[in-house]
Amino acid sequence: MATLEAIKYSRGKLLVLDQLRLPHENHYDEVSTSEEAFDCIRAMRVRGAPAIAIVAALAHAVELHNGSCSAESPEEVVAYINSRLDYLRESRPTAVDLFNAINLLKAAVKAARTEGLAHPEAKAAILAAYIEAAEAILAKDLHNNTSIGAFGAAWLQQQYNASTDRKLSVLTHCNTGSLATSGHGTALGIIRTLYSQGLLQHAYCTETRPYNQGSRLTSFELVYEGIPSTLITDSMAAALFALHRESMNIGAVIVGADRVVRNGDTANKIGTYALAVLARHHGVKFVVAAPTTSIDLETETGAGIKIEERKREELTQISGAVVNSDGSIDANKTARVAIADQRIAVWNPAFDVTPHSLIDAIVTENGVVVKGPDGRFNFRTEPSSSLPGPPENESYKLRLIHGNRQRPIFETTAATSNSEPHSAPAYRDSLLSLHKRLIDIPSVTDGGHEDKAAHFLVDYLEGRGYATQLQQVPPREGSPPDQKRWNLLAWPGADNTQLSSRKPRVLITSHIDVVPPWIPYSISASDEANIGPDTVISGRGSVDAKASVAAQITAVEEILAVGDVPPEDLMLLYVVGEETVGDGMKNFSAWWRDEHPGMEFDAAIFGEPTGNKLACGHKGIMGGWLYAKGKAGHSGYPELGKSATELLVRALAKIVDADLGSNELYGKTTVNIGRLTGGVAGNVIAKDAGALVTIRVAAGNFTSGPGIVQERINTILQETDEEAFSVNWPYSYGPVDCNCDVEGFETVVVNYGTDVPNLQGNHTSYLYGPGTILVAHGDKEALRVRDLEEAVEGLKKIIKHALSH
C-alpha cells in the first residue's frame, strides 16, 4: 500500500490534503497563492511543523512560477519575495521550521547570481533560485525523516536489547507521520521503522485533545499501514503504564517537536508535558524526534517560546461525520455539536513545554543526542549515541555514524571512518605538522617577513606533485623597496609545461600574512600521544589564516587521493596583503584577467575564521580621513576663532549616533573612530583637526552601499558646518554576498573585511574556515584540533558542491 501523501507538488502546482476531513474523506486543496497557504495553515487543514514550512515555501514558489511578481529590478523582486515570506511567517508563531525555512529562502534569493544580467534575466535568476530552494526543502525533509526513523529505532533497540523475539511497544502523541511531513514522519517515522524491522509489538496513540490529531490522523495512518495499534484518551496514559508496561514491554513515549531550544526544553502539542511526567514516574524512556530545522539555538530555555492560543470553540465544540442509526458512517454528512456550556471561559494553549530534565533523548537526522554530565543537551557537540547509522542506499545518501565520531548536530561535518571512538583521521599528523610549520614562520605585515611563507609552500607543494608559480607583489607604501612580497599559485597534479592548457573551475584561496606581533607556536598536549580533538593550538596565525591554509591543502589532498575530483579542476592561491589593503589578491586578479582573458572560475573558496560555519557574506567597508578646517585664535576669546576640533567632535558624535543604513542580513552600519589629530596647544583654538575612521557598511549592496553612507554623513557635516569639512575615502565597498546554500552547514554573517571583493570575475564565492575571529588578532589566538579536522571535512564538501553546480 502506498504511503500517505499530505503534500503533492509539481512545479507550478501544489495540492495539500485537507486533514480536517480525515479520516473519512481524502480531499486535496489546490494551493496556488500565499494567501491560500496562510489560510490552509491557520485553519489547520495542514499541520505539523515540517509540513507547515513546506506548504508555505512551495505555495510561494507556485505563485512565482505562475507570474505573481510584477517587479522588474533585482532589488524590487527580492523585496517582493521577502514581503510574501514575512506574511507567511505569521501563519503559525510556534513552529520554528517555518522560520528556519523562511530564513533559508531569503538567503537563497539574496545569493542569486545576477551580476551583469539585464533586468529580465536577473529577475528570472532570482525566481529560479527561490523555486529551487523551496523544492530542496521538500526533498530534504523526506531524507531527514528516514534518517530520524533509522537512528531512533536503533537507539531504542540498544536501550532495551529489543529483537524479533522481544519486541517493544511505544506510545505516541499528536500526529507526526506522513500527514505532518513530506513522508514517513518523525516520531511516527521511528515507529514505522521499528515495525518494518520486526521490532514493534504494539503502538498506542492518544486522542490528543482538543483537536484530536491522534484519533483523527495518527490512528488513520497506523490502520492504513497495518501497524498493530490501539487508541486511548489522553487521560488513560497513566493507567496504561501502570497496568500494561511490563506485559506489553512499553519502552518509550515518542513525540515530535514544534521547537527545541538550546537547553533541550521542547514545545510540542498540549499534553506532551503530562506524558513526560508519567513516563519518568513509570521508568519509560521519553524520546523527542525532531529534525535540526526544529532546533532553535537562539532561544536559551523554554520560557522564551511563544505559545499559540487557539480559539475557544475547539474546546467547546466538535465536528465529525454523521453516524447512522445502524452504526455506519456517512462521510457526506458532517455535523458540529456543542460538548460544553458555550458560556464557560476557555484557556486553549496549542502547545506546552516539556523541560529537558524529563527528556531522555532527542533524535535528529544527524544522530541521537543525549544529555551530558551537566544534565543538559548540547547541540553543538557530537551526538553521544554509539550506534552505527543507517546504511547508505540509492534513495538516501545518509552519512554513517561510528561510535562517538558522529556528525556533530550543528557543527560542520566531522570525519567519517570505520575507526574506533575518538580515533584520529588518517591525515591528522600531516595536517597538524603543516599547521605548525606555517605558524613557525613569522609572516607578519611588518619587518619584511611576508616572503618566507610563500617560499615554504613552494617546497611543500612541489614535493607533493604540484606545479607552482611565485607572483611578486609590489612593496607596501613606506616599506623598503627590497622587501620582496609574493603570492603563491599552485596547480595539483601538473608540471609547468601543462599550465597553459589548464582551465581550473574552483579556486581555493587564503592569505598567508598575519598581524603583528608574532607569537610563537604552542600546543596544550605534552606529547603526540596525548593529542586529541580538544587539544588547543596557539600562536600568531593559528587561526587567521594559517589554519585555513593547512585545512585547505589537506582537504584537496584528501579529495585527490580518493579520485573524487579531477586535479585539473582545482587551483590553489595564497596571497599577501589581506591584513592591510588587499593588494595581493588585487594584483593576482588583474594579472589573471590579463593573462587568461575570458577564463572564469566557477567558484572561489576563501579561507577566513568563520567558526566552521558557512558565511553568507560580510559587511562592506569605508576607511579614510575626515578633516575639519577652522580659524586659529586665543582660547580666552573663542568668538574670534573657529575651533576645528570642536566641530569635528560634534560631527563625529552625530555620525556615531546616526542611522547610516542597515540591512536585514547584515544589521546596522557601524563606525569606529580609530585616530584623532588636531590643534597645537591647550590654550589655542585649533585651526585643523582630523579623524581616521573605519565604517562597516551594512547599507545597500556592494555598489550602492558606500554612496548611501556617504550621503548621510555629508548631510550631518553640512548641518554641523557648511564649509568646515572635507573627506577622503581611498577605499570603499558595500556588503559582500557569499553563497551559503551548501547543505549541512550552519550559516553566519561576519563583520570583518576579506579578499572576496578583491577577486574580480563572475564566480560564486564561498567564505569558510576554522576558528573564531574574536581571538584572531589578540594574544589569545588559538583553536582546537577538532576545529582543524572539521574544517577539512567541511572544505571537501564545499569543493564537491562547487564542482557539482
Side-chain angles (χ1 to χ4, degrees), residues 73-137:
S73 74
E75 294 79 12
E76 291 171 336
V77 173
V78 171
Y80 170 78
I81 291 173
N82 288 346
S83 69
R84 301 297 275 170
L85 292 175
D86 290 339
Y87 165 74
L88 288 164
R89 183 193 295 270
E90 301 304 315
S91 59
R92 292 298 293 273
T94 303
V96 76
D97 293 62
L98 176 60
F99 302 159
N100 286 337
I102 287 171
N103 291 338
L104 184 151
L105 292 166
K106 286 185 175 181
V109 168
K110 187 174 182 63
R113 294 177 62 177
T114 61
E115 298 84 355
L117 299 179
H119 281 178
E121 290 81 9
K123 176 179 179 178
I126 294 169
L127 298 184
Y130 178 92
I131 292 170
E132 290 169 5
E135 292 171 347
I137 292 173

Side-chain angles (χ1 to χ4, degrees), residues 655-709:
I655 290 169
V656 169
D657 290 338
D659 177 6
L660 299 180
S662 61
N663 178 290
E664 183 177 356
L665 181 63
Y666 297 105
K668 296 175 63 177
T669 298
T670 60
V671 179
N672 179 68
I673 304 169
R675 184 181 172 195
L676 292 169
T677 65
V680 294
N683 65 343
V684 177
I685 298 172
K687 180 182 178 181
D688 300 287
L692 181 61
V693 299
T694 296
I695 302 172
R696 302 292 177 175
V697 180
N701 56 34
F702 180 83
T703 303
S704 66
I708 294 171
V709 175

Side-chain angles (χ1 to χ4, degrees), residues 29-108:
D29 294 325
E30 184 166 354
V31 177
S32 56
T33 68
S34 292
E35 286 79 9
E36 290 173 354
F38 189 102
D39 182 65
C40 185
I41 294 167
R42 180 60 65 89
M44 295 188 71
R45 295 198 299 276
V46 64
R47 19 76 48 216
I52 288 169
I54 292 166
V55 167
L58 292 179
H60 190 34
V62 168
E63 66 181 356
L64 289 175
H65 177 81
N66 293 335
S68 69
C69 180
S70 60
E72 292 297 332
S73 74
E75 294 79 12
E76 291 171 336
V77 173
V78 171
Y80 170 78
I81 291 173
N82 288 346
S83 69
R84 301 297 275 170
L85 292 175
D86 290 339
Y87 165 74
L88 288 164
R89 183 193 295 270
E90 301 304 315
S91 59
R92 292 298 293 273
T94 303
V96 76
D97 293 62
L98 176 60
F99 302 159
N100 286 337
I102 287 171
N103 291 338
L104 184 151
L105 292 166
K106 286 185 175 181

Side-chain angles (χ1 to χ4, degrees), residues 242-506:
L243 298 176
H244 299 296
R245 182 176 65 85
E246 293 187 5
S247 62
M248 295 299 292
N249 195 23
I250 300 174
V253 176
I254 311 175
V255 299
D258 285 84
R259 186 181 297 237
V260 181
V261 297
R262 183 184 292 273
N263 72 343
D265 292 352
T266 296
N268 194 50
K269 185 56 57 185
I270 191 75
T272 303
Y273 182 13
L275 290 173
V277 173
L278 293 172
R280 178 56 54 90
H281 180 76
H282 290 280
V284 174
K285 298 290 186 187
F286 191 86
V287 178
V288 172
T292 52
T293 53
S294 294
I295 298 176
D296 173 13
L297 296 182
E298 300 301 318
T299 304
E300 294 289 340
T301 70
I305 300 175
K306 179 181 178 181
I307 299 299
E308 174 188 358
E309 291 193 26
R310 303 287 299 171
K311 58 187 179 181
R312 64 192 312 277
E313 288 78 13
E314 291 179 359
L315 205 58
T316 63
Q317 302 172 11
I318 195 166
S319 297
V322 171
V323 181
N324 297 320
S325 58
D326 61 359
S328 62
I329 296 174
D330 188 346
N332 294 318
K333 295 180 180 179
T334 61
R336 186 162 187 83
V337 299
I339 57 175
D341 192 313
Q342 299 299 291
R343 297 168 297 179
I344 188 70
V346 169
W347 178 55
N348 184 18
F351 307 92
D352 56 28
V353 177
T354 300
H356 66 275
S357 58
L358 296 176
I359 300 172
D360 293 290
I362 297 174
V363 186
T364 79
E365 73 274 19
N366 293 336
V368 182
V369 187
V370 297
K371 285 173 283 195
D374 61 354
R376 296 196 174 198
F377 292 96
N378 185 353
F379 299 105
R380 293 192 182 276
T381 60
E382 296 171 350
S384 48
S385 166
S386 59
L387 301 167
E392 292 193 357
N393 56 51
E394 289 304 314
S395 300
Y396 308 107
K397 296 297 184 181
L398 306 180
R399 191 168 294 281
L400 298 181
I401 287 184
H402 300 284
N404 286 333
R405 291 198 50 71
Q406 300 175 32
R407 179 181 177 181
I409 293 296
F410 271 94
E411 297 292 329
T412 52
T413 311
T416 53
S417 66
N418 290 319
S419 54
E420 292 298 315
H422 301 299
S423 62
Y427 56 75
R428 176 180 286 176
D429 288 345
S430 61
L431 170 65
L432 297 188
S433 173
L434 175 57
H435 187 229
K436 179 183 185 300
R437 294 170 73 183
L438 286 167
I439 297 170
D440 283 341
I441 301 170
S443 53
V444 292
T445 54
D446 60 3
H449 297 293
E450 291 173 89
D451 64 324
K452 295 179 174 60
H455 283 98
F456 162 76
L457 286 171
V458 167
D459 295 336
Y460 184 90
L461 292 172
E462 285 185 351
R464 285 159 175 76
Y466 288 68
T468 67
Q469 179 178 335
L470 285 172
Q471 179 185 73
Q472 188 168 355
V473 180
R476 287 184 293 112
E477 183 177 351
S479 62
D482 59 346
Q483 280 190 6
K484 299 295 190 292
R485 306 166 70 226
W486 306 94
N487 291 334
L488 170 70
L489 291 61
W491 297 261
D495 59 48
N496 289 330
T497 64
Q498 300 170 313
L499 296 186
S500 60
S501 62
R502 285 282 179 112
K503 296 181 179 179
R505 296 177 55 200
V506 175

